[in-house]
Amino acid sequence: PSVHPTAIIDDGASIGEGTKIWHFSHISAGAKIGQDCVFGQNTMVANDVVIGSNVKVQNNVAIY
């Protein structure tokens, strides 16, 4: 994965190959993200959320 230096990835989060996480995003512990996804700036994925492959999440979106 490609993770911007300002993004926070909690221990226990799983991020698939080819996924991009942009500025100020937060991926919480236990979250599972598939391959080739894009998370725009300031996005948040809560604990234990599962997201498939080839998903694009626009800026400023939180998924619980």
Side-chain angles (χ1 to χ4, degrees):
S2 173
V3 178
H4 191 272
T6 62
I8 298 169
I9 311 297
D10 289 350
D11 289 339
S14 173
I15 301 171
E17 199 172 314
T19 290
K20 296 176 184 171
I21 314 253
W22 290 103
H23 309 73
F24 309 109
S25 294
H26 183 185
I27 309 300
S28 300
K32 295 180 183 173
I33 299 172
Q35 297 179 345
D36 300 314
C37 295
V38 178
F39 286 81
Q41 69 180 21
N42 200 36
T43 54
M44 193 281 263
V45 179
N47 293 345
D48 303 319
V49 168
V50 177
I51 296 176
S53 296
N54 301 306
V55 174
K56 182 177 182 180
V57 178
Q58 292 287 49
N59 299 345
N60 305 308
V61 171
I63 301 173
Y64 291 89

